[in-house]
Amino acid sequence: MDVESFVEKKIEEIRKIVGGKKAIAACSGGVDSTTAAMLVSKAIGGNLTCVFVDTGFMRKGEVEEVTRMLQSLGLPLKFVDAKQEFLEALKGVVDPEEKRRIIGEKFIRVLENVAEEVGAEYLVQGTIAPDWIESGGGLRDRIKTHHNVAGLPKEMKLKLVEPLKDLYKDEVREVARFLGIEWSERQPFPGPGLAIRIVGEVTQEKLEIVREANAIVEEEIEKAVERGEIEKPWQYFAVLLPVRSVGVHGDVRRYGYVIAIRVVYSVDGMTAEYAKLPHELLESISIRITNTLGKKVNRVVYDITHKPPGTIEWE
């Protein structure tokens, strides 16, 4: 791909589509949404408002980190705290497709409110090829509903602008590097966030558990990369399972949750291989998780499934 030519053509294309109208960009801090926002910003300048919605499903410290990163790019940013709304909307919901649908619709309604405030007619999304391929349609089977594709409500007030929809992740990273986005190599994080890393119903308690476990996995993997023990994986995270097991903490019986660790290598996310991590690294992660969350988690397992047959995310 000729990145410079792609960027020039997309900027011109966006100008023709949006014209002198206003747009909002859904920015999660991920590579896809940030790259899409940067392209549109270059095309329409001050007519773009970036919106960061805190769903409550973000990783540890992510709200502060994403806010800093987006502001460092000079993008006009509006922050929306919708944590309680999203958590209440998922009360009692266990089906992963229903979770994604609810989150997708809730997300759009929040963005529509912001669009009304700023007078925007267009919504910029960082949709990429795997999103619509896996969401199904036509002859394609639905693998999972991506909240920014099949998860969108049928009736929307905003017109979509998706400048990256025909690119794969490795191509998006090329564009991000060209645009000077410092976190172009950031690992992918799903739009529904930690809500789909909790298998089953999402609760505040479970969010706190998986958020802390996920932070430990990320820290230990990144330290191992820095030490040169492993190559940087495509994705690495924790999943909270809907089962409990008997354990012992000190001399006290515990009936706690199980955390699954998922670490994979991939090029574009369409296929992936599980990472054959050193046992010493897995042991370090397990000990930290059970020591830190010992009253609530007493067992850690490692996912050794490739994609296919398993997807990268569990839900």
Side-chain angles (χ1 to χ4, degrees):
M1 181 177 70
D2 184 338
V3 179
E4 186 173 359
S5 176
F6 172 83
V7 169
E8 289 175 358
K9 288 178 181 177
K10 276 298 168 184
I11 289 173
E12 188 58 35
E13 183 182 302
I14 293 163
R15 283 185 182 138
K16 288 179 181 177
I17 293 171
V18 180
K21 304 290 178 61
K22 291 185 177 182
I24 60 170
C27 288
S28 65
V31 179
D32 304 337
S33 63
T34 306
T35 303
M38 281 291 285
L39 284 172
V40 176
S41 177
K42 287 183 177 296
I44 67 173
N47 280 339
L48 175 70
T49 299
C50 293
V51 185
F52 177 42
V53 180
D54 183 2
T55 60
F57 307 146
M58 311 301 285
R59 289 173 288 190
K60 188 175 182 179
E62 191 159 32
V63 172
E64 296 77 15
E65 182 185 8
V66 169
T67 300
R68 178 193 65 77
M69 290 192 302
L70 291 173
Q71 289 175 338
S72 73
L73 290 171
L75 295 170
L77 181 64
K78 183 174 178 61
F79 177 83
V80 179
D81 184 345
K83 292 192 293 290
Q84 202 56 42
E85 288 180 53
F86 278 85
L87 189 59
E88 288 177 3
L90 291 184
K91 189 173 182 180
V93 179
V94 297
D95 180 76
E97 283 294 283
E98 186 65 5
K99 278 189 200 175
R100 287 174 175 268
R101 186 196 66 75
I102 290 170
I103 290 170
E105 180 166 357
K106 178 64 67 176
F107 205 81
I108 289 298
R109 299 312 175 206
V110 170
L111 291 171
E112 284 178 339
N113 289 338
V114 175
E116 195 171 332
E117 289 176 22
V118 302
E121 295 182 25
Y122 291 88
L123 169 63
V124 180
Q125 291 197 139
T127 306
I128 65 175
D131 296 342
W132 57 263
I133 290 172
E134 292 189 337
S135 291
L139 297 176
R140 299 188 313 276
D141 190 27
R142 178 172 295 179
I143 307 302
K144 57 186 177 184
T145 295
H146 285 260
H147 78 294
N148 56 333
V149 184
L152 295 174
K154 291 181 181 178
E155 294 182 6
M156 281 178 56
K157 300 175 185 176
L158 297 166
K159 302 166 191 171
L160 289 179
V161 177
E162 299 173 311
L164 307 174
K165 70 179 299 181
D166 295 321
L167 301 187
Y168 290 87
K169 180 70 77 172
D170 55 325
E171 295 172 313
V172 176
R173 291 195 197 280
E174 284 187 60
V175 177
R177 286 191 288 269
F178 180 82
L179 294 174
I181 297 172
E182 64 176 281
W183 61 97
S184 59
E185 308 309 312
R186 198 169 190 241
Q187 70 159 315
F189 186 61
L194 298 177
I196 57 166
R197 290 182 179 172
I198 295 170
V199 180
E201 183 181 7
V202 177
T203 66
Q204 189 61 47
E205 180 194 35
K206 290 178 181 178
L207 281 167
E208 290 168 3
I209 292 171
V210 78
R211 184 176 286 118
E212 188 62 40
N214 192 80
I216 291 169
V217 171
E218 289 189 352
E219 287 169 15
E220 291 296 321
I221 292 293
E222 286 161 12
K223 283 192 291 186
V225 171
E226 289 175 7
R227 292 192 298 263
E229 295 173 0
I230 62 171
E231 292 183 13
K232 186 177 180 181
W234 169 270
Q235 234 169 320
Y236 41 101
F237 55 90
V239 181
L240 181 63
L241 304 187
V243 294
R244 296 196 184 205
S245 69
V246 175
V248 59
H249 191 74
D251 293 326
V252 180
R253 177 189 186 275
R254 297 288 186 198
Y255 193 52
Y257 286 107
V258 179
I259 287 287
I261 302 168
R262 181 75 159 143
V263 184
V264 299
Y265 287 102
S266 181
V267 174
D268 55 17
M270 295 302 292
T271 61
E273 293 185 358
Y274 82 86
K276 299 170 180 63
L277 299 181
H279 282 284
E280 293 79 8
L281 176 55
L282 289 171
E283 180 183 33
S284 178
I285 293 172
S286 177
I287 289 172
R288 273 196 67 190
I289 288 174
T290 52
N291 282 350
T292 304
L293 296 163
K295 292 184 177 180
K296 295 179 179 178
V297 175
N298 59 16
R299 203 171 297 269
V300 177
V301 299
Y302 188 53
D303 184 347
I304 60 169
T305 314
H306 296 312
K307 175 183 180 180
T311 55
I312 295 177
E313 298 289 344
W314 276 51
E315 287 199 334

